[in-house]
Amino acid sequence: MPSAIRANHAAHLARSALLPGEHAPLGAHWDGEGVNFALFSAHADRVELCLYTADGKTELARHTLPSLTHQVWHGYLPGAGPGTVYAYRVHGPYQPHLGHRFNAHKLLLDPYCRQLTGEFVWSDLHQGFDARHTGETEVPDRRDNQAFMPKCVVTAPLPAARAKKPRIPMSQSILYETHLKGFTIQHPGIPQAMRGKLAGMAHRDIIAYLKALGVTSVELLPIQSFISEAFLNNRNLSNYWGYNPLCLFAPHPQYLSGSSPAEIRELTDTYHDAGLELIMDVVFNHTAEGGRLGPTLSFKGIDNLSYYRLQNEDRSFYINDTGCGNTLNMTHPRVIQLVMDCLRYWADTLQVDGFRFDLATVLGRESYGFDRGSGFFDALLQDPALAGIKLIAEPWDIGPGGYQLGNFPPGWSEWNDRYRDTCRRYWRGDAGMLPEFARRLHGSSDIFEHGGRRPSSSINYICSHDGFTLNDLVSYRERHNDANGEKNLDGHRENFSDNFGVEGPTHDATIHVIRQRQQRNFLTTLMFSQGVPMFQAGDEFCRSLHGNNNAYCQDNELSWIDWQHISKEGQHQQAFVRYLISLRKRFQCVFPDTYMHESSDPGISTIEWFNSSGEIMQASHWQEHHTRTLGCLLSAPVADAPDSAAPTRIMLVFHSGRDAISFRLPQREGITDWEIVLDTASFSGQPDPGNCRVKGRLNLFSCSSVILLALNTTSEHQSHGVSEHGH
């Protein structure tokens, strides 16, 4: 828009009077002739709409919203359109002990804002209370903070999506967790201007890499707008991970090449064209406003009593079930509406394929505790716009009864930390882990097999953004988080890790070999467990954070993926992961989305457990605390098998002992011999073509895994020669 026209338009907006408008929908919406503004506040006395120049630096006018309907303040501005910059000032009582923190001296962001302009700058002017006041009673800070605040921007409707969502069943999904900036900022194939941006994540080189790797769904750490906490700002650090949300509808401005949320749609369209899914890590448990001493930026100044859970005995204090200072009040219908509207916007308008909910127990906590039939869960279950969307819970918070693994409603999947810790302890060589290890391989049926839930309820992972990388898991026994500035007291204390004799990097070739093999063991366990595998970006090529298991504030080379210096070992591991994922897809029939059990019925998928003598595991075998070898036979019936003439039977052999061992393969009718299809003793996982057949006994290296395919007289595999020797 030319500057003269822009100036005339600004003058028009300054002179225009607000019409009553409508109370729904909430937010700022353009109808082709003007913009309707609607803001919920049950306890405000008056709401002012503040209009700004396009850069957000100069205020043009203030208008009082003229109408109040169903606790929604609303007004209609004729002639306004997309690009209009605005924010609010909300008048009302400042009575913290009653839960009210209104302060019209503080500029506030619209909770439904879909685009931001300008940067947030930390200042003590954001405090709603006057910290300089020495009296016993809090008083409001009357200084204006607008110069340090971003502003809201009215957006235009987006066109229809150009690509259909892939709709990959959860049971067939392979999740790849990554950080948008860290994944792209140092990629040599991405133009400099696109690095660290949504556009970089959609670059053809990234798409090609993901497709070649074989993953189906990319799970991005938060891309909703966020800010760094004040204490990090004071240390010259930042909230790199993004779990400190500012506006839930608006994309993080630093991830945009321009300013429009249409860039999100371009990303999802590009992924869908490639047959990939995009899952967002979302934060609906708390906001960046923190607790009593935190800033007033939006919700706190709009209607603190409605939006947050407050302590009954003194409502100037916040319930802190999140550890982040505040907790959104998911028992309030308008807060549920906010989250539901936000999910619909990201899923329907911006076309993301699913959500991973941070600290998801908050979403189901009623006044009496967690309830899998909570108001939010019920609202989500019946919403047709969200049908088929992937829903993934981080099933814990720090509140009372906060650990809820296995207790989310049908249709949800959950991050399974029991899987993570059990696999780590088994491969570390801890005694007595066999029964627990088998339960995790089985899709954690002891946790999820109830109420119609399926193996896909379990999101299996060994490592995620929160904790050691896979390489560090086998290289460090202790966390090394000194760079975070918290005296190495932050992050998980117990990692169930091992360094094999040396803490951190070493030139010892023997240690290198066992560390590499252990990583392959973890990855093999992950990909051949019932449930949904998820691994974090970089674990496929031995990425290290040098022992930092809580790099949430490290927006630097430590956290960024270094694509140009992947080691020789990392290249071997990349090839291994690609091959491993191809096997998971090849033998998808032995990973049905129903729980398998032992059965004599040839028409159903079954699972059987064997000891190293080739015997079916009995109760006494499970109690042998020093046994570290386990066989697992997965069988799919003829109808489900890729070879219609015979069932598919896959033998998994896991050995976490530090000595070599001989494993007797089970004898079954129709099985003539076995073909090794994966062996973690090999860098690539692929066995020697001249020695991939075994019968009778399988000789295992220390700390190794082998995957075998049963061969029989009707199988096409019988055309190959058979080795008489064991492995």
Side-chain angles (χ1 to χ4, degrees):
M1 183 184 296
S3 58
I5 297 177
R6 187 184 301 117
N8 290 335
H9 181 67
H12 168 74
L13 294 182
R15 292 192 305 269
S16 296
L18 288 186
L19 303 177
E22 303 291 339
H23 72 280
L26 292 171
H29 295 274
W30 177 58
D31 64 4
E33 297 180 357
V35 176
N36 192 81
F37 297 90
L39 181 74
F40 161 74
S41 180
H43 301 98
D45 295 331
R46 183 164 63 93
V47 175
E48 287 182 300
L49 171 69
C50 303
L51 300 175
Y52 290 86
T53 53
D55 59 9
K57 294 181 179 180
T58 304
E59 184 174 329
L60 295 172
R62 293 189 191 183
H63 299 284
T64 295
L65 292 183
S67 300
L68 175 63
T69 306
H70 305 322
Q71 300 180 330
V72 174
W73 301 82
H74 54 95
Y76 181 85
L77 185 60
T84 300
V85 178
Y86 72 101
Y88 289 112
R89 297 182 185 273
V90 181
H91 299 256
Y94 189 84
Q95 299 170 328
H97 65 289
L98 297 179
H100 302 308
R101 293 184 174 274
F102 295 101
N103 186 343
H105 298 280
K106 307 304 172 183
L107 195 71
L108 305 174
L109 299 175
D110 182 356
Y112 279 74
C113 166
R114 299 182 178 189
Q115 181 181 327
L116 294 170
T117 186
E119 293 187 10
F120 173 83
V121 178
W122 268 108
S123 168
D124 60 357
L125 301 184
H126 295 306
Q127 289 180 326
F129 69 97
D130 191 342
R132 301 164 299 177
H133 180 70
T134 58
E136 295 183 1
T137 304
E138 281 188 32
V139 298
D141 186 308
R142 301 184 183 281
R143 296 175 296 172
D144 199 304
N145 69 332
Q146 68 174 332
F148 304 96
M149 284 288 288
K151 313 301 188 297
C152 307
V153 182
V154 177
T155 59
L158 295 178
R162 71 163 187 261
K164 290 185 177 180
K165 293 183 177 182
R167 298 290 189 185
I168 299 166
M170 183 61 96
S171 61
Q172 297 176 24
S173 299
I174 299 171
L175 309 183
Y176 186 74
E177 187 203 33
T178 192
H179 187 283
L180 184 147
K181 179 178 181 179
F183 196 67
T184 62
I185 192 69
Q186 296 191 115
H187 195 291
I190 299 176
Q192 189 68 43
M194 298 167 64
R195 295 182 186 180
K197 309 288 185 181
L198 291 159
M201 201 68 204
H203 190 269
R204 61 179 179 274
D205 285 3
I206 296 297
I207 299 296
Y209 178 81
L210 296 170
K211 293 292 288 183
L213 195 59
V215 299
T216 67
S217 312
V218 175
E219 183 177 308
L220 290 178
L221 268 66
I223 58 174
Q224 295 166 300
S225 63
F226 61 87
I227 60 174
S228 296
E229 294 86 344
F231 73 89
L232 289 176
N233 184 69
N234 293 337
R235 295 180 195 163
N236 292 319
L237 296 171
S238 63
N239 191 318
Y240 171 65
W241 286 351
Y243 293 97
N244 198 42
L246 182 62
C247 284
L248 302 173
F249 288 74
H252 189 54
Q254 281 68 47
Y255 292 164
L256 298 172
S257 299
S259 59
S260 171
E263 292 183 40
I264 300 280
R265 266 286 300 282
E266 180 60 32
L267 176 64
T268 54
D269 278 346
T270 301
Y271 274 56
H272 296 165
D273 280 337
L276 295 168
E277 291 183 321
L278 195 70
I279 296 172
M280 282 176 59
D281 199 332
V282 290
V283 185
F284 294 118
N285 55 77
H286 77 283
T287 77
E289 292 185 303
R292 183 175 65 90
L293 303 180
T296 296
L297 308 173
S298 182
F299 305 94
K300 188 179 287 187
I302 293 171
D303 194 343
N304 185 68
L305 184 60
S306 296
Y307 277 112
Y308 293 117
R309 296 187 65 209
L310 308 175
Q311 296 186 15
N312 289 327
E313 58 274 15
D314 184 349
R315 291 183 175 177
S316 64
F317 292 90
Y318 292 75
I319 291 174
N320 188 17
D321 291 341
T322 64
C324 301
N326 63 51
T327 305
L328 279 174
N329 182 14
M330 291 300 295
T331 65
H332 195 289
R334 287 295 188 180
V335 181
I336 293 177
Q337 179 188 2
L338 171 78
V339 176
M340 292 298 299
D341 288 347
C342 187
L343 292 174
R344 280 190 291 266
Y345 174 67
W346 285 96
D348 190 31
T349 302
L350 299 180
Q351 289 285 291
V352 301
D353 300 280
F355 304 97
R356 181 266 189 187
F357 295 84
D358 180 61
L359 301 182
T361 300
V362 165
L363 305 177
R365 184 178 278 112
E366 300 287 352
S367 59
Y368 48 83
F370 180 83
D371 187 345
R372 66 204 306 259
S374 72
F376 172 71
F377 289 154
D378 288 346
L380 194 60
L381 179 66
Q382 61 75 45
D383 195 297
L386 297 172
I389 290 293
K390 286 182 166 67
L391 303 173
I392 301 171
E394 182 184 41
W396 51 77
D397 62 20
I398 66 169
Y403 189 75
Q404 293 295 333
L405 179 67
N407 292 330
F408 278 70
W412 282 77
S413 299
E414 304 174 36
W415 271 30
N416 190 346
D417 65 326
R418 289 275 296 277
Y419 179 94
R420 175 197 66 195
D421 293 348
T422 298
C423 292
R424 289 183 177 194
R425 293 187 63 197
Y426 172 78
W427 284 112
R428 189 172 67 172
D430 291 10
M433 293 304 300
L434 230 56
E436 181 84 356
F437 183 60
R439 286 191 283 268
R440 302 308 141 234
L441 290 173
H442 190 223
S444 298
S445 58
D446 57 322
I447 297 173
F448 295 106
E449 193 177 10
H450 60 81
R453 301 194 72 183
R454 299 180 175 187
S456 56
S457 300
S458 178
I459 302 296
N460 300 329
Y461 67 105
I462 306 296
C463 300
S464 68
H465 70 275
D466 186 7
F468 278 150
T469 66
L470 188 59
N471 190 8
D472 289 354
L473 184 65
V474 299
S475 304
Y476 295 89
R477 285 183 181 168
E478 305 296 335
R479 62 191 176 191
H480 296 268
N481 299 353
D482 301 272
N484 296 354
E486 299 180 41
K487 300 180 180 179
N488 203 34
L489 297 176
D490 60 306
H492 297 293
R493 181 180 298 275
E494 178 53 81
N495 299 283
F496 304 113
S497 59
D498 197 359
N499 63 16
F500 299 94
V502 177
E503 186 76 350
T506 178
H507 295 294
D508 188 310
T510 301
I511 294 177
H512 267 299
V513 168
I514 189 62
R515 286 179 177 178
Q516 296 302 309
R517 192 184 304 161
Q518 282 289 74
Q519 291 184 68
R520 293 192 292 273
N521 286 329
F522 279 123
L523 291 164
T524 300
T525 304
L526 179 65
M527 287 298 163
F528 275 83
S529 295
Q530 303 297 305
V532 182
M534 182 195 82
F535 64 102
Q536 74 167 323
D539 282 351
E540 73 271 26
F541 49 77
C542 307
R543 174 178 174 238
S544 173
L545 294 179
H546 307 301
N548 191 321
N549 74 351
N550 190 35
Y552 76 103
C553 56
Q554 299 298 324
D555 188 1
N556 50 49
E557 287 83 358
L558 176 69
S559 294
W560 303 339
I561 289 180
D562 185 357
W563 292 99
Q564 298 190 74
H565 298 96
I566 297 175
S567 66
K568 183 177 180 180
E569 291 87 354
Q571 294 170 17
H572 285 307
Q573 190 146 299
Q574 276 182 311
F576 175 80
V577 171
R578 286 194 294 267
Y579 179 63
L580 184 60
I581 292 176
S582 73
L583 289 180
R584 169 86 182 201
K585 294 180 176 180
R586 174 184 170 189
F587 299 118
Q588 184 64 48
C589 61
V590 297
F591 299 99
D593 200 18
T594 55
Y595 279 103
M596 299 188 293
H597 296 281
E598 295 178 7
S599 174
S600 59
D601 185 346
I604 63 173
S605 297
T606 61
I607 187 169
E608 299 175 273
W609 307 96
F610 295 87
N611 65 12
S612 60
S613 298
E615 301 169 330
I616 291 284
M617 290 285 286
Q618 305 297 325
S620 60
H621 297 142
W622 291 113
Q623 301 307 314
E624 295 172 351
H625 281 210
H626 297 291
T627 299
R628 292 177 172 82
T629 309
L630 182 65
C632 176
L633 180 62
L634 306 175
S635 302
V638 172
D640 296 337
D643 179 354
S644 60
T648 295
R649 288 181 280 197
I650 301 295
M651 187 73 189
L652 319 177
V653 183
F654 300 106
H655 175 56
S656 63
R658 297 306 192 253
D659 298 315
I661 193 173
S662 177
F663 186 95
R664 188 174 186 86
L665 294 166
Q667 297 180 351
R668 282 289 185 272
E669 182 179 353
I671 298 179
T672 60
D673 55 322
W674 301 81
E675 177 188 353
I676 298 173
V677 295
L678 181 136
D679 180 4
T680 61
S682 165
F683 279 122
S684 69
Q686 301 183 52
D688 179 358
N691 192 30
C692 63
R693 294 291 192 86
V694 293
K695 60 171 58 179
R697 286 192 173 274
L698 176 70
N699 295 321
L700 296 166
F701 285 98
S702 62
C703 296
S704 64
S705 310
V706 177
I707 310 298
L708 306 101
L709 172 65
L711 303 180
N712 53 70
T713 54
T714 59
S715 172
E716 63 180 359
H717 300 290
Q718 292 304 301
S719 60
H720 301 291
V722 178
S723 170
E724 294 292 335
H725 302 286
H727 170 237

